[in-house]
Amino acid sequence: MSDKNEWGSNLSFVLAMVGSAVGLGNIWRYPYVLYSNGGGAFYIPYIVAILLMGVPFLILEYGVGYNFKSSFPKAIRKIHSKAEFLGWLLPVSVFIIMIYYSCILGWDGIYVILSFFKGWGADPNTFFAATLLQSSESATGLTSFIPVIAIAMLISWLIVWFISHKDLEEGLGKVSKILVPLLFVIMIAIVAFSLTLPGAMIGLNELFSPNWSLLLDFNIWMAAFGQIIFSLSLGMSIAFTYASYTGEEGDLITNTLSIAFANCAFENFCALGV
């Protein structure tokens, strides 16, 4: 593997992995999961899930990717020649996920512009459903073409292409060094603002107050393990792929712990503002 196809530094690899981990699962999903599964009591199964599944599975994915330094299907073929088809399931799944993620990115881009003048008006829910999505109860609404969303999706795809077609360090590496710290700065500002709103302390008390009786409910444990799988993107071959481009100096154990800690710290911090 040539130098241009490797991460330029360990920092690039760690930030890229943090960037792939933090996202909707942290900002949007985690506060809801935390609140609806016992509040503060949720941290017990949450920590157990990190230790029993999050860190070990990340180490496994990193280790396999680091060892084979190839595409996921090719690595599966090396492990067992007749199982290569299984290796194609994950890349195809990731591509399908990217289709609707590009739509969400398009929505985000639209709302970034609208946020400068609160373009959603007095009723954000109605604006999103009726004005932006133009949703209706008719089945024909499923095939409606909405130009503004199509343009936003196209722009998001072009940005992804522009970054990914470059050499690894010149593209994803440099972008991660800018956007990941920027995301943390933005969330710090959002949390700081949220804590100044009326009733903020009441909301935090409701969010973190433990309901210990739920620890006996199997569903809370399933929710904790599901959150770790979702937020760390376990089993999606992302960690495998990123690790396959690391150099010989990569410290997989330290990197794994750093990424898992950063991901979990970020989503708990986001809960303060969401």
Side-chain angles (χ1 to χ4, degrees), residues 103-104 107-108 110-111 114 119-120 123-135 146 149:
C103 182
I104 296 174
W107 296 347
D108 291 341
I110 293 171
Y111 270 87
L114 293 174
W120 47 80
D123 190 348
N125 292 332
T126 300
F127 172 84
F128 178 70
T131 305
L132 181 61
L133 299 185
Q134 300 179 20
S135 59
I146 305 174
I149 294 181

Side-chain angles (χ1 to χ4, degrees), residues 139-197:
T140 58
L142 296 174
T143 59
S144 298
F145 178 77
I146 305 174
V148 66
I149 294 181
I151 293 173
M153 289 180 63
L154 177 61
I155 292 174
S156 69
W157 275 110
L158 289 175
I159 293 173
V160 171
W161 173 83
F162 180 77
I163 295 172
S164 60
H165 94 285
K166 291 177 173 289
D167 292 339
L168 191 61
E169 182 62 26
E170 288 296 313
L172 187 58
K174 285 188 175 180
V175 170
S176 297
K177 289 178 180 178
I178 297 172
L179 295 187
V180 173
L182 179 61
L183 175 61
F184 279 76
V185 171
I186 291 174
M187 284 310 305
I188 290 173
I190 291 175
V191 170
F193 173 75
S194 298
L195 294 179
T196 65
L197 296 176

Side-chain angles (χ1 to χ4, degrees), residues 5 7 15 17 27 37 54 87 91-92 99 107 122 144 151 179 182 211 228 230 260:
N5 288 325
W7 298 105
L15 288 178
M17 272 307 309
I27 301 172
N37 287 279
V92 171
I99 293 176
W107 296 347
S144 298
I151 293 173
L179 295 187
L182 179 61
N211 183 353
I228 294 301
F230 189 86

Side-chain angles (χ1 to χ4, degrees), residues 176-239:
S176 297
K177 289 178 180 178
I178 297 172
L179 295 187
V180 173
L182 179 61
L183 175 61
F184 279 76
V185 171
I186 291 174
M187 284 310 305
I188 290 173
I190 291 175
V191 170
F193 173 75
S194 298
L195 294 179
T196 65
L197 296 176
M201 293 302 106
I202 297 175
L204 291 179
N205 184 61
E206 286 292 323
L207 178 64
F208 293 108
S209 294
N211 183 353
W212 300 112
S213 63
L214 288 181
L215 289 177
L216 300 177
D217 187 348
F218 180 72
N219 290 325
I220 188 177
W221 294 85
M222 290 293 292
F225 278 82
Q227 174 62 27
I228 294 301
I229 293 173
F230 189 86
S231 66
L232 288 176
S233 301
L234 297 179
M236 298 301 294
S237 76
I238 298 174

Side-chain angles (χ1 to χ4, degrees), residues 53-114:
M53 175 169 283
V55 172
F57 269 69
L58 274 182
I59 292 175
L60 175 62
E61 284 199 52
Y62 290 161
V64 176
Y66 179 82
N67 179 67
F68 285 98
K69 295 189 181 300
S70 64
S71 66
F72 190 71
K74 187 175 181 180
I76 296 298
R77 187 177 67 210
K78 289 180 179 179
I79 295 173
H80 196 294
S81 59
K82 295 183 178 180
E84 181 182 353
F85 74 96
L86 295 175
W88 287 102
L89 294 179
L90 287 182
V92 171
S93 299
V94 172
F95 176 76
I96 294 174
I97 292 172
M98 271 299 299
I99 293 176
Y100 79 79
Y101 255 68
S102 67
C103 182
I104 296 174
L105 287 173
W107 296 347
D108 291 341
I110 293 171
Y111 270 87
V112 166
I113 297 174
L114 293 174

